[in-house]
Amino acid sequence: MIWLASFPRSGNTFFRNVLYEVYGLASSTYHQDEQRELDPNFASFPVVKTHLLPADLPAEWRDKPSVYLIRDGRDALVSIAHHRKDIVAPGTDFFNNLLEAILAQKGSFFGGWSKNVRQWTQKADIVIRFQDLIQDPIREIEKLRSIIDLPQPNLDKLPTFKDLKFGQPQYGGGRGKQFLSSRAQKHFRKGRVGGWKEELPANLEKVLWAQHGRTLTEWGYEGPQQDLGNASPKRVMIEASKLYGQDNDGIKRYLAELINGLRILTRYQAEWDICLYDQNGIQSLRDLDSPEEALPSSSGADFRTLDEKEAILLDRRTMDYEKKLLLLKAFVKQQLPDALYDKLSVYYRQGPFRQLLTKVRQQAKSWGPRAESKDIAQALGQADLIHIPLPQHLSPKLPTDNLLLVSVHDLTHHFFPDYHTKQNIALAENGMQQIVQRQAEVLAVSQSTQKDVLAHYPIPTARIHLCYEAANMGRFNPSKRQADIAPLREKYGLPSQPYLMCLSTIEPRKNLVNTVRAFLQLKASHPQLTIQLLICGKKGWKTQELFEREELQSPHIHFTGFVEDDDLPHLYAHARALCYISHYEGFGLPLLEAMSCRTPVLYGSNSSMPEIASEGGLPADASQPDQIQAQMHRLVTDDDLWHSLSEGAWRQANRFSWLKTALETLQIYEKVIQACHP
């Protein structure tokens, strides 16, 4: 027995078919994929194919002779992205597949192209280049005579790549179960050298060369001619105070995922120096540990350079403050009569108390060691670009000469002022006016937001850049459907029957009043339906109208309160659909999160939601409960429609990726800096 090793899509299937047809040698495969069967007697075959790294092979067979096939990593990675889209995970996106394969995080994709090549070429007895194999397969296979007894070849049976693509190959067409000619045609795509030049996007070629250029060069593959000379890296400062807040809202998730993607992408790119800053300090992305791990979400953990004990103590103080405040409110409610407590609640919401508590909360968050403000100001002054993730965080104290890029997520304060506090409206509008006055660049998270900014503020089109958000596919995915959610049913009081799900901070803009009204109409019109309504999320502001409605006492409506991050994907995956019929959204992150779990969505036919949901759900006029009810009925009763929308949701969600968001953000950084400093 010998090992036939390679990185995927490097010619091993072609090699195996030539061995079988010309030499009469059958081969097996060794893998560790739980979704596929493994030949129990694989070691009895003369040749065993594997993509695994040497250390991952069975110890008793690890030292067997081996031949390694090496292909230009650009061709191999482009081909593996297509293979995943067409065969392994239909519906996934080529661009995102390719980006993930290039980066090979956490040892995925068999360690990544470079690691796979380095480890196997150091171990293998024979190394065969793909270009040589395609040019003269017999000459290359004959090299195996030094490590295995090869029968005499029957050259009349030598297959061409075209024969395998359109014929019935022994390997690559699904044999062992059922031969599928369509699978063979997708498996044997082109078999050409240099095909990557037609399909590898320029921005991904740059990332690929940064990641794998050294190994490509060592094996004679020529790359882009880049002469950076002694140019200083481009320095970007990202305002990151949102990471440290206790609220786990969409802006915090956006910032955490963006930063995580940026540090993964720039790990091997010396041209970038990206730092985070807030009032307490500055942190370079290069100094952050565990590049593959996501930054803090709901934990409130600190990203700054602090002594570990000080950081833990700081976090505890802030958490203790929040906990004590909640306990105090609960105690007051318990002691006072309901009528008196309700009156006091009105005074609390309308008076100055909330603003005072906000100041105290901010003070609690700043009890840690501070960097000198002059040091932060100096660092900001030396930056090529400052990125502000929210207009409300655009401080007038920022250096006036710096290039500014501000992420604008929505204009809800402009379109729906009744749904916001006066303080938030003032902060948001002040931020937008500063963007105008300082001629800042704008990063819009959807076409809808881009159009809104253009329509309502005098900002030139050239200064508004589109860059979508995404969902974390590692966290939100269809595999969560297989999990037992019995513990969650008890934890959140989930119904045992099928449910429609709503998720948001409970506030008027999310339109829960009409959603509830439509659901109750559905139950009244079709009492035989067992469907329930699950409303997830913490109470926000101006919710009195909703919670005073007697209909909420319906046994078919269930409130969970705040849902923890780790539980949310399971609730999405087990829902019949997500109902997200908001009056307005700048992006609508929950739509993508649900769709990533193959869960269809019912969304408002306004703002960005049709753009984001697309084929993954059904639209409804947010102001028309009758229309919402009709779409609910279709989702609940039409199984064929549901399955079609489920597949559409999966395809649409896969068009987005946080790594893609980070890559496109880097491109915007570069474009803005070069425009100012050509």
PDB file of all heavy atoms in Angstrom, residues 246 298-300 313-325 364:
ATOM      1  N   GLN A 246     -22.350  47.196  27.341  1.00  0.00           N
ATOM      2  CA  GLN A 246     -23.099  46.023  27.806  1.00  0.00           C
ATOM      3  C   GLN A 246     -24.190  45.616  26.817  1.00  0.00           C
ATOM      4  O   GLN A 246     -24.605  44.463  26.790  1.00  0.00           O
ATOM      5  CB  GLN A 246     -23.730  46.308  29.177  1.00  0.00           C
ATOM      6  CG  GLN A 246     -22.701  46.508  30.277  1.00  0.00           C
ATOM      7  CD  GLN A 246     -21.823  45.290  30.469  1.00  0.00           C
ATOM      8  OE1 GLN A 246     -22.313  44.175  30.527  1.00  0.00           O
ATOM      9  NE2 GLN A 246     -20.525  45.501  30.558  1.00  0.00           N
ATOM     10  N   SER A 298     -21.593  39.661  23.821  1.00  0.00           N
ATOM     11  CA  SER A 298     -22.402  40.053  24.969  1.00  0.00           C
ATOM     12  C   SER A 298     -21.618  40.047  26.265  1.00  0.00           C
ATOM     13  O   SER A 298     -22.100  40.495  27.293  1.00  0.00           O
ATOM     14  CB  SER A 298     -23.597  39.108  25.099  1.00  0.00           C
ATOM     15  OG  SER A 298     -23.149  37.781  25.283  1.00  0.00           O
ATOM     16  N   SER A 299     -20.407  39.525  26.248  1.00  0.00           N
ATOM     17  CA  SER A 299     -19.671  39.376  27.496  1.00  0.00           C
ATOM     18  C   SER A 299     -19.199  40.702  28.056  1.00  0.00           C
ATOM     19  O   SER A 299     -19.005  40.854  29.250  1.00  0.00           O
ATOM     20  CB  SER A 299     -18.457  38.474  27.276  1.00  0.00           C
ATOM     21  OG  SER A 299     -17.551  39.089  26.382  1.00  0.00           O
ATOM     22  N   GLY A 300     -18.959  41.681  27.159  1.00  0.00           N
ATOM     23  CA  GLY A 300     -18.445  42.950  27.627  1.00  0.00           C
ATOM     24  C   GLY A 300     -16.976  42.898  27.963  1.00  0.00           C
ATOM     25  O   GLY A 300     -16.443  43.791  28.607  1.00  0.00           O
ATOM     26  N   LEU A 313     -11.329  42.676  37.004  1.00  0.00           N
ATOM     27  CA  LEU A 313     -11.929  43.511  38.039  1.00  0.00           C
ATOM     28  C   LEU A 313     -12.773  44.617  37.426  1.00  0.00           C
ATOM     29  O   LEU A 313     -13.881  44.905  37.870  1.00  0.00           O
ATOM     30  CB  LEU A 313     -10.821  44.121  38.911  1.00  0.00           C
ATOM     31  CG  LEU A 313     -11.287  45.068  40.031  1.00  0.00           C
ATOM     32  CD1 LEU A 313     -12.207  44.328  40.997  1.00  0.00           C
ATOM     33  CD2 LEU A 313     -10.087  45.663  40.763  1.00  0.00           C
ATOM     34  N   LEU A 314     -12.255  45.234  36.360  1.00  0.00           N
ATOM     35  CA  LEU A 314     -12.981  46.290  35.671  1.00  0.00           C
ATOM     36  C   LEU A 314     -14.311  45.785  35.141  1.00  0.00           C
ATOM     37  O   LEU A 314     -15.354  46.414  35.305  1.00  0.00           O
ATOM     38  CB  LEU A 314     -12.123  46.833  34.530  1.00  0.00           C
ATOM     39  CG  LEU A 314     -12.752  47.870  33.600  1.00  0.00           C
ATOM     40  CD1 LEU A 314     -13.167  49.095  34.404  1.00  0.00           C
ATOM     41  CD2 LEU A 314     -11.769  48.268  32.511  1.00  0.00           C
ATOM     42  N   ASP A 315     -14.283  44.612  34.530  1.00  0.00           N
ATOM     43  CA  ASP A 315     -15.502  44.031  33.975  1.00  0.00           C
ATOM     44  C   ASP A 315     -16.492  43.711  35.087  1.00  0.00           C
ATOM     45  O   ASP A 315     -17.690  43.926  34.957  1.00  0.00           O
ATOM     46  CB  ASP A 315     -15.151  42.768  33.190  1.00  0.00           C
ATOM     47  CG  ASP A 315     -16.314  42.303  32.329  1.00  0.00           C
ATOM     48  OD1 ASP A 315     -16.950  43.148  31.689  1.00  0.00           O
ATOM     49  OD2 ASP A 315     -16.572  41.093  32.312  1.00  0.00           O
ATOM     50  N   ARG A 316     -15.987  43.203  36.210  1.00  0.00           N
ATOM     51  CA  ARG A 316     -16.871  42.865  37.329  1.00  0.00           C
ATOM     52  C   ARG A 316     -17.555  44.105  37.876  1.00  0.00           C
ATOM     53  O   ARG A 316     -18.728  44.087  38.217  1.00  0.00           O
ATOM     54  CB  ARG A 316     -16.062  42.190  38.439  1.00  0.00           C
ATOM     55  CG  ARG A 316     -15.775  40.717  38.174  1.00  0.00           C
ATOM     56  CD  ARG A 316     -14.950  40.148  39.301  1.00  0.00           C
ATOM     57  NE  ARG A 316     -14.631  38.743  39.070  1.00  0.00           N
ATOM     58  CZ  ARG A 316     -13.734  38.067  39.768  1.00  0.00           C
ATOM     59  NH1 ARG A 316     -13.050  38.670  40.723  1.00  0.00           N
ATOM     60  NH2 ARG A 316     -13.491  36.800  39.498  1.00  0.00           N
ATOM     61  N   ARG A 317     -16.797  45.202  37.984  1.00  0.00           N
ATOM     62  CA  ARG A 317     -17.385  46.427  38.524  1.00  0.00           C
ATOM     63  C   ARG A 317     -18.544  46.896  37.654  1.00  0.00           C
ATOM     64  O   ARG A 317     -19.592  47.281  38.156  1.00  0.00           O
ATOM     65  CB  ARG A 317     -16.311  47.512  38.594  1.00  0.00           C
ATOM     66  CG  ARG A 317     -15.321  47.306  39.736  1.00  0.00           C
ATOM     67  CD  ARG A 317     -14.204  48.324  39.653  1.00  0.00           C
ATOM     68  NE  ARG A 317     -13.300  48.211  40.789  1.00  0.00           N
ATOM     69  CZ  ARG A 317     -12.142  48.852  40.879  1.00  0.00           C
ATOM     70  NH1 ARG A 317     -11.757  49.636  39.881  1.00  0.00           N
ATOM     71  NH2 ARG A 317     -11.374  48.704  41.935  1.00  0.00           N
ATOM     72  N   THR A 318     -18.307  46.884  36.355  1.00  0.00           N
ATOM     73  CA  THR A 318     -19.361  47.317  35.440  1.00  0.00           C
ATOM     74  C   THR A 318     -20.564  46.388  35.523  1.00  0.00           C
ATOM     75  O   THR A 318     -21.709  46.825  35.584  1.00  0.00           O
ATOM     76  CB  THR A 318     -18.831  47.344  34.002  1.00  0.00           C
ATOM     77  OG1 THR A 318     -17.600  48.065  33.983  1.00  0.00           O
ATOM     78  CG2 THR A 318     -19.809  48.019  33.077  1.00  0.00           C
ATOM     79  N   MET A 319     -20.296  45.070  35.542  1.00  0.00           N
ATOM     80  CA  MET A 319     -21.381  44.099  35.618  1.00  0.00           C
ATOM     81  C   MET A 319     -22.120  44.226  36.939  1.00  0.00           C
ATOM     82  O   MET A 319     -23.340  44.117  36.998  1.00  0.00           O
ATOM     83  CB  MET A 319     -20.815  42.689  35.447  1.00  0.00           C
ATOM     84  CG  MET A 319     -20.229  42.419  34.066  1.00  0.00           C
ATOM     85  SD  MET A 319     -21.481  42.373  32.780  1.00  0.00           S
ATOM     86  CE  MET A 319     -22.204  40.772  33.123  1.00  0.00           C
ATOM     87  N   ASP A 320     -21.362  44.462  38.035  1.00  0.00           N
ATOM     88  CA  ASP A 320     -22.003  44.617  39.343  1.00  0.00           C
ATOM     89  C   ASP A 320     -22.937  45.812  39.339  1.00  0.00           C
ATOM     90  O   ASP A 320     -24.038  45.771  39.901  1.00  0.00           O
ATOM     91  CB  ASP A 320     -20.941  44.798  40.436  1.00  0.00           C
ATOM     92  CG  ASP A 320     -20.238  43.492  40.766  1.00  0.00           C
ATOM     93  OD1 ASP A 320     -20.735  42.439  40.337  1.00  0.00           O
ATOM     94  OD2 ASP A 320     -19.192  43.535  41.435  1.00  0.00           O
ATOM     95  N   TYR A 321     -22.518  46.895  38.690  1.00  0.00           N
ATOM     96  CA  TYR A 321     -23.367  48.079  38.619  1.00  0.00           C
ATOM     97  C   TYR A 321     -24.673  47.766  37.903  1.00  0.00           C
ATOM     98  O   TYR A 321     -25.761  48.092  38.380  1.00  0.00           O
ATOM     99  CB  TYR A 321     -22.625  49.207  37.905  1.00  0.00           C
ATOM    100  CG  TYR A 321     -23.553  50.331  37.486  1.00  0.00           C
ATOM    101  CD1 TYR A 321     -23.983  51.286  38.401  1.00  0.00           C
ATOM    102  CD2 TYR A 321     -24.034  50.411  36.177  1.00  0.00           C
ATOM    103  CE1 TYR A 321     -24.852  52.292  38.031  1.00  0.00           C
ATOM    104  CE2 TYR A 321     -24.901  51.407  35.798  1.00  0.00           C
ATOM    105  CZ  TYR A 321     -25.306  52.352  36.725  1.00  0.00           C
ATOM    106  OH  TYR A 321     -26.177  53.330  36.355  1.00  0.00           O
ATOM    107  N   GLU A 322     -24.567  47.116  36.745  1.00  0.00           N
ATOM    108  CA  GLU A 322     -25.756  46.768  35.971  1.00  0.00           C
ATOM    109  C   GLU A 322     -26.675  45.856  36.767  1.00  0.00           C
ATOM    110  O   GLU A 322     -27.892  46.023  36.777  1.00  0.00           O
ATOM    111  CB  GLU A 322     -25.343  46.081  34.658  1.00  0.00           C
ATOM    112  CG  GLU A 322     -24.478  46.924  33.734  1.00  0.00           C
ATOM    113  CD  GLU A 322     -25.277  47.994  33.018  1.00  0.00           C
ATOM    114  OE1 GLU A 322     -26.514  47.933  33.080  1.00  0.00           O
ATOM    115  OE2 GLU A 322     -24.664  48.870  32.394  1.00  0.00           O
ATOM    116  N   LYS A 323     -26.068  44.872  37.435  1.00  0.00           N
ATOM    117  CA  LYS A 323     -26.862  43.916  38.199  1.00  0.00           C
ATOM    118  C   LYS A 323     -27.581  44.601  39.356  1.00  0.00           C
ATOM    119  O   LYS A 323     -28.771  44.355  39.609  1.00  0.00           O
ATOM    120  CB  LYS A 323     -25.954  42.799  38.711  1.00  0.00           C
ATOM    121  CG  LYS A 323     -26.687  41.690  39.438  1.00  0.00           C
ATOM    122  CD  LYS A 323     -25.717  40.583  39.830  1.00  0.00           C
ATOM    123  CE  LYS A 323     -26.450  39.451  40.569  1.00  0.00           C
ATOM    124  NZ  LYS A 323     -25.513  38.377  40.961  1.00  0.00           N
ATOM    125  N   LYS A 324     -26.878  45.474  40.056  1.00  0.00           N
ATOM    126  CA  LYS A 324     -27.485  46.162  41.198  1.00  0.00           C
ATOM    127  C   LYS A 324     -28.623  47.073  40.749  1.00  0.00           C
ATOM    128  O   LYS A 324     -29.644  47.192  41.444  1.00  0.00           O
ATOM    129  CB  LYS A 324     -26.407  46.961  41.936  1.00  0.00           C
ATOM    130  CG  LYS A 324     -25.429  46.083  42.711  1.00  0.00           C
ATOM    131  CD  LYS A 324     -24.318  46.912  43.338  1.00  0.00           C
ATOM    132  CE  LYS A 324     -23.341  46.009  44.088  1.00  0.00           C
ATOM    133  NZ  LYS A 324     -22.204  46.760  44.654  1.00  0.00           N
ATOM    134  N   LEU A 325     -28.446  47.708  39.600  1.00  0.00           N
ATOM    135  CA  LEU A 325     -29.500  48.581  39.097  1.00  0.00           C
ATOM    136  C   LEU A 325     -30.765  47.789  38.787  1.00  0.00           C
ATOM    137  O   LEU A 325     -31.880  48.197  39.139  1.00  0.00           O
ATOM    138  CB  LEU A 325     -29.014  49.317  37.844  1.00  0.00           C
ATOM    139  CG  LEU A 325     -30.018  50.274  37.198  1.00  0.00           C
ATOM    140  CD1 LEU A 325     -30.416  51.376  38.166  1.00  0.00           C
ATOM    141  CD2 LEU A 325     -29.433  50.876  35.918  1.00  0.00           C
ATOM    142  N   ALA A 364     -19.036  54.120  35.315  1.00  0.00           N
ATOM    143  CA  ALA A 364     -18.706  52.770  35.793  1.00  0.00           C
ATOM    144  C   ALA A 364     -17.840  52.034  34.795  1.00  0.00           C
ATOM    145  O   ALA A 364     -16.953  51.258  35.163  1.00  0.00           O
ATOM    146  CB  ALA A 364     -19.995  51.981  36.051  1.00  0.00           C
TER     147      ALA A 364
END
